[in-house]
Amino acid sequence: MDNTIFTDIISSRTQLAAKQVRATLELLADGATIPFIARYRKERTGGLDEVQIGSIAELSEKLTETAHRKETILKTIDEQGRLMPELQTRIEACWDATELEDIYLPYKPRRRTRAQIAREQGLEPLALLLLEQRYPDPAAAAKAYAGSEAVPTVAEALSGAQDIIAEMVSEDERSRQSIRGMFRRTAVVSSKLVRSKTKDEQAAADFEARAAKYSDYFDWSEPLRRASSHRLLAMRRGEVEGILRVSIDIDAAEAVERLQHQWVHSRGECGRLVAEAVADGYKRLLAPSIETEFAASSKERADDEAIRVFAENLRQLLLGAPLGQKRVMGIDPGFRTGCKVVCLDAQGNLLHHEAIFPHPPAARRADAMERLLDMAHRYAIEAIAIGNGTASRETKDFVEFTLHQLGGEQVAKDIKLYVVSEDGASVYSASKVAREEFPDEDVTVRGAVSIARRLMDPLAELVKIDPKSIGVGQYQHDVDQTKLRRALDQTVESCVNMVGVDVNTASSHLLTYISGLGPTLARNIVDYRREHGPFTSRAELKKVPRLGPSAFEQCAGFLRITDAKNPLDGSAVHPERYALVEQMAADQGCHVADLINDKGLRARVNINNYVGADVGLPTLTDIMSELEKPGRDPRGDAETFEFAADVSTIDDLRPGMTLPGIITNITNFGAFVDIGVHQDGLVHISQLADRYVAHPTDVVRLHQHVMVRVTEVDQRRNRISLSMKNVK
């Protein structure tokens, strides 16, 4: 495809300089990844970030799809023998997908419509005569087309001609744009309850139970342009489940009047027949077509917004603060089946596992206390991660009591307790990845290990789980799954490369997301490491089978080697800039390590002296920042948390209570908060702050510790309403 055309269109749509767009397209065409371009090619792109580069890549793909579509359209029309030079020029110049389909519509092969049948009966000349609206007696003119077996009467001839006119109106570009404009400005989306027709009492009861969650939409309408993503997706889900009937409408009378103003030019009989055809064309063909179009486009916008929210939640989750390399005990809590306990070393390797039964019905509390403390001493546990599912609150209280009563104040002080989200742990435990890691352990052990490892390094553990199973989405099963997968994969890739990974400890699954790698090269790295021992330098990566120069260029800067001979191997400085840093050190009369360890030496470096043809101030500034804190982790530190001691069930809640909580999910309409009662409460967007909030992510983040006030408790529907307004 013509790169110049793409550059101009993308530049216009993104408001980015053509030079930036062109450079980005060239880098993408050469196989560079978005994280690599954003981090190491700032001079080429003018400092574009990942979001901007991603937008360029997405628009380029859409334009490529449009180009392929144009080829198909031109070929189809040409095969019909109807491809005139003016039409070809217009199609070739069109890059708007909707406009392109409008141009193509009259030539699009279709099933035999009423209009097509009328054309086969030879009635098209009569239709064109009616459209001229000059003939005083259309019935007299229609006699010439009547009398055959197919068209026996004048009335049927006129009716067939009207069918042709109706289709012409529905396919006319100007008409479609006019009605499309009305939909854009005034369309109303409505939903109604579909009444169950079954006479079976159980089936009717099941329907009522399923329908209850859509009660807000049993008789709902609002302007389409103001309908939020979550409401549209809720209505569409109800429609798919057969509970709601959803429609998008405009004022039909006004729409018909507008079309008749365009098509009707006479007050005579011809004008009346054309007016009838226009009304029929709108009701039977044009309105359903444009409604379908807007249903699809509004669904697409709702999908995009839901995917954006999901991706942002996932980013926050993946970038959650890691505890780091500590000896951790993981507990998957439970009542009847007991609590599965695992002990891991500082590298996350499984050392021991067993089940304890501190809660009813077994209630072997004393035995559980002794065994828990014994494991803590035997494996020198430094932190305990407790899953936040069933029996979480009771298990945390039990562990705290055990550490204080049997271990003493010092043990209770030394071993920190953390409540960890266990969403998706069961999915991981039954996955291929888990079976490969722990082929001899059952799913309960694998789940507890996942909980413990999430505390140590959320990113390294959560990348093993399908993001849709992590529980931070909004209608994730209702949106375009291809788009969702792509957005989530890009988010994971962005987070992994932002943090970087230790090539000597990372799993093959984590390495898969590193720029330039993928499943095969990730597996080859792990196999090489297993056979030859830990990597001692980044340069050694070139010995990995199939890891060629291009892949090395893409991945090297994101892979860390701790305690390497060259200190730059443990930093985010790319190997292509090692010579530059070594020159800086030589100019200061020192080694690279001295430049890293001595703030005074770094301060003496004037980066302006090192600006060259292929390196500018953005890259040099990044290098100096990295030398200040090589290989730094941008994720912060893990924090402990305590629920209110006197609140453990929804029955304990009273309006006006102020309680600590943890944000577990963020949607367009607010944030869900765990306050320790086994049911998350909702802080509506209007209750998030003492000021206007455009989007919840402007004021809160996933897993943030907050204080909330209970405003309403609906025990029948198991709903808790919370507020953060005027809460200290």
Side-chain angles (χ1 to χ4, degrees):
M1 304 302 168
D2 191 334
N3 196 45
T4 302
I5 294 176
F6 279 23
T7 297
D8 292 342
I9 295 172
I10 295 172
S11 175
S12 173
R13 293 184 185 179
T14 61
Q15 300 301 301
L16 296 172
K19 180 180 178 182
Q20 293 175 295
V21 174
R22 186 179 303 108
T24 301
L25 290 175
E26 290 170 355
L27 287 164
L28 290 168
D30 290 339
T33 67
I34 292 174
F36 176 80
I37 296 170
R39 181 69 177 82
Y40 296 114
R41 291 297 179 263
K42 292 181 178 178
E43 282 79 10
R44 287 277 302 275
T45 68
L48 297 182
D49 60 29
E50 288 191 14
V51 174
Q52 293 167 315
I53 296 167
S55 296
I56 292 173
E58 185 178 348
L59 280 171
S60 176
E61 287 188 14
K62 286 184 177 179
L63 290 173
T64 300
E65 290 173 5
T66 302
H68 291 317
R69 178 62 175 157
K70 289 201 289 186
E71 290 176 2
T72 300
I73 289 172
L74 288 168
K75 181 181 178 182
T76 302
I77 299 176
D78 189 40
E79 288 173 349
Q80 297 173 6
R82 303 166 70 186
L83 186 60
M84 299 296 104
E86 307 84 30
L87 179 60
Q88 181 172 349
T89 300
R90 190 173 176 212
I91 291 172
E92 289 174 346
C94 179
W95 290 98
D96 180 274
T98 300
E99 182 183 349
L100 183 64
E101 295 302 325
D102 278 354
I103 296 172
Y104 178 45
L105 190 57
Y107 308 93
K108 191 173 185 178
R110 59 174 70 83
R111 58 182 175 79
R112 290 183 77 237
T113 62
R114 283 162 49 175
Q116 183 63 27
I117 294 170
R119 288 190 179 95
E120 292 170 1
Q121 293 169 344
L123 296 175
E124 188 163 21
L126 177 60
L128 296 175
L129 185 146
L130 292 180
L131 276 176
E132 289 179 4
Q133 298 172 53
R134 295 174 183 169
Y135 207 83
D137 187 1
K143 287 181 180 178
Y145 300 91
S148 66
E149 183 179 343
V151 188
T153 66
V154 168
E156 287 177 284
L158 291 173
S159 178
Q162 285 182 304
D163 287 341
I164 295 173
I165 295 171
E167 188 170 275
M168 292 172 68
V169 169
S170 73
E171 294 180 348
D172 178 71
E173 282 185 66
R174 183 180 164 195
S175 298
R176 294 182 71 84
Q177 289 291 7
S178 176
I179 299 305
R180 192 176 282 127
M182 284 190 67
F183 267 82
R184 195 175 293 118
R185 292 188 304 273
T186 66
V188 172
V189 59
S190 306
S191 65
K192 304 284 185 183
L193 173 66
V194 177
R195 296 292 177 183
S196 174
K197 294 186 174 73
T198 181
K199 295 181 179 180
D200 182 275
E201 291 186 8
Q202 184 58 50
D206 291 344
F207 180 85
E208 292 297 327
R210 288 191 298 113
K213 61 183 176 180
Y214 298 103
S215 58
D216 291 343
Y217 302 102
F218 285 175
D219 188 15
W220 176 270
S221 65
E222 65 177 315
L224 180 63
R225 57 191 170 86
R226 291 210 295 265
S228 66
S229 164
H230 66 272
R231 288 199 297 273
L232 280 171
L233 290 173
M235 284 186 271
R236 291 301 179 190
R237 178 187 286 182
E239 184 178 44
V240 169
E241 292 184 11
I243 293 166
L244 300 176
R245 181 178 293 108
V246 181
S247 61
I248 300 174
D249 302 296
I250 58 174
D251 186 323
E254 182 182 347
V256 169
E257 183 179 350
R258 178 173 296 205
L259 290 173
Q260 288 176 340
H261 181 74
Q262 175 187 339
W263 290 88
V264 180
H265 312 301
S266 164
R267 297 188 179 184
E269 184 62 14
C270 280
R272 185 187 67 78
L273 291 171
V274 170
E276 287 180 356
V278 168
D280 174 56
Y282 171 78
K283 180 180 179 181
R284 183 168 54 85
L285 302 171
L286 185 50
S289 172
I290 302 298
E291 180 183 359
T292 299
E293 183 181 303
F294 271 76
S297 62
S298 62
K299 171 68 164 54
E300 183 179 9
R301 285 195 301 274
D303 282 3
D304 290 345
E305 179 60 18
I307 290 170
R308 185 194 67 77
V309 171
F310 195 162
E312 178 55 31
N313 284 351
L314 179 63
R315 175 180 296 277
Q316 293 183 22
L317 190 65
L318 293 175
L319 295 180
L323 184 65
Q325 294 191 332
K326 304 286 186 182
R327 293 180 296 278
V328 174
M329 176 185 290
I331 303 178
D332 186 357
F335 288 116
R336 183 182 58 81
T337 57
C339 299
K340 180 61 73 174
V341 183
V342 298
C343 298
L344 310 183
D345 66 16
Q347 285 71 47
N349 299 309
L350 177 63
L351 302 175
H352 175 76
H353 67 82
E354 64 178 273
I356 59 175
F357 296 84
H359 311 306
R364 299 201 292 268
R365 188 175 178 87
D367 174 68
M369 290 173 66
E370 290 182 7
R371 292 167 67 182
L372 183 78
L373 194 63
D374 175 64
M375 284 185 277
H377 286 316
R378 199 183 339 154
Y379 299 103
I381 296 300
E382 298 172 272
I384 298 177
I386 301 170
N388 69 342
T390 303
S392 172
R393 185 72 182 275
E394 293 80 0
T395 302
K396 184 173 184 292
D397 292 342
F398 160 75
V399 173
E400 285 181 330
F401 181 82
T402 299
L403 294 180
H404 280 92
Q405 292 298 311
L406 293 188
E409 291 304 316
Q410 191 58 48
V411 170
K413 182 179 179 182
D414 291 343
I415 301 178
K416 302 292 186 184
L417 267 62
Y418 301 85
V419 176
V420 177
S421 169
E422 60 181 52
D423 284 334
S426 60
V427 174
Y428 160 77
S429 64
S431 69
K432 180 183 177 183
V433 176
R435 291 195 299 273
E436 290 174 350
E437 287 190 298
F438 303 103
D440 300 324
E441 308 296 348
D442 65 24
V443 292
T444 61
V445 175
R446 297 169 190 162
V449 170
S450 179
I451 289 170
R453 285 180 172 177
R454 290 184 195 197
L455 175 62
M456 300 172 74
D457 190 339
L459 179 62
E461 193 61 23
L462 291 173
V463 294
K464 302 172 185 176
I465 304 170
D466 182 348
K468 289 190 295 183
S469 301
I470 297 177
V472 293
Q474 175 187 353
Y475 295 101
Q476 61 262 39
H477 299 290
D478 301 298
V479 302
D480 185 310
Q481 295 300 295
T482 301
K483 273 189 177 181
L484 177 62
R485 167 54 61 188
R486 176 177 176 176
L488 298 184
D489 283 347
Q490 286 182 346
T491 300
V492 175
E493 181 184 39
S494 172
C495 292
V496 170
N497 288 284
M498 174 186 171
V499 174
V501 304
D502 188 326
V503 72
N504 285 323
T505 60
S507 66
S508 62
H509 205 82
L510 184 60
L511 288 168
T512 296
Y513 290 98
I514 287 292
S515 169
L517 296 183
T520 300
L521 286 178
R523 193 163 46 249
N524 290 352
I525 288 174
V526 173
D527 290 344
Y528 182 94
R529 188 176 73 200
R530 187 180 298 116
E531 182 179 351
H532 300 280
F535 289 89
T536 58
S537 69
R538 277 173 169 162
E540 192 180 352
L541 286 163
K542 297 177 181 178
K543 297 180 181 179
V544 173
R546 300 180 65 179
L547 203 156
S550 177
F552 179 80
E553 178 187 57
Q554 294 293 311
C555 75
F558 303 105
L559 297 174
R560 311 277 189 266
I561 299 177
T562 307
D563 299 326
K565 182 178 179 181
N566 186 340
L568 295 178
D569 281 347
S571 74
V573 176
H574 198 282
E576 66 188 7
R577 302 301 178 199
Y578 282 9
L580 180 63
V581 178
E582 289 163 0
Q583 184 61 53
M584 290 179 181
D587 291 345
Q588 298 303 318
C590 67
H591 298 292
V592 170
D594 301 323
L595 205 59
I596 291 173
N597 296 325
D598 193 326
K599 183 178 179 181
L601 284 173
R602 288 198 306 274
R604 283 161 41 188
V605 176
N606 184 352
I607 59 176
N608 293 296
N609 296 336
Y610 300 93
V611 174
D614 67 334
V615 61
L617 288 176
T619 294
L620 290 164
T621 301
D622 283 349
I623 289 173
M624 295 309 295
S625 176
E626 190 61 27
L627 293 178
E628 182 180 348
K629 292 181 179 178
R632 65 194 180 282
D633 193 316
R635 294 176 289 176
D637 300 318
E639 299 176 344
T640 59
F641 177 82
E642 294 287 343
F643 288 117
D646 56 346
V647 173
S648 58
T649 71
I650 194 171
D651 295 331
D652 297 328
L653 297 179
R654 298 290 182 273
M657 280 183 168
T658 299
L659 304 168
I662 302 175
I663 293 179
T664 58
N665 200 3
I666 300 174
T667 69
N668 271 350
F669 53 85
F672 288 92
V673 181
D674 182 358
I675 54 175
V677 297
H678 307 295
Q679 173 63 45
D680 289 355
L682 172 65
V683 182
H684 189 266
I685 188 171
S686 63
Q687 297 295 314
L688 280 171
D690 301 327
R691 57 180 174 80
Y692 170 75
V693 176
H695 193 276
T697 53
D698 294 339
V699 292
V700 293
R701 68 182 187 280
L702 211 59
H703 290 178
Q704 179 181 344
H705 298 174
V706 295
M707 293 297 295
V708 295
R709 184 177 61 256
V710 179
T711 59
E712 184 180 354
V713 181
D714 185 341
Q715 292 183 328
R716 185 179 65 83
R717 295 199 293 176
N718 212 29
R719 290 185 178 181
I720 305 166
S721 299
L722 306 170
S723 175
M724 289 170 57
K725 279 188 171 183
N726 302 311
V727 179
K728 298 293 185 182

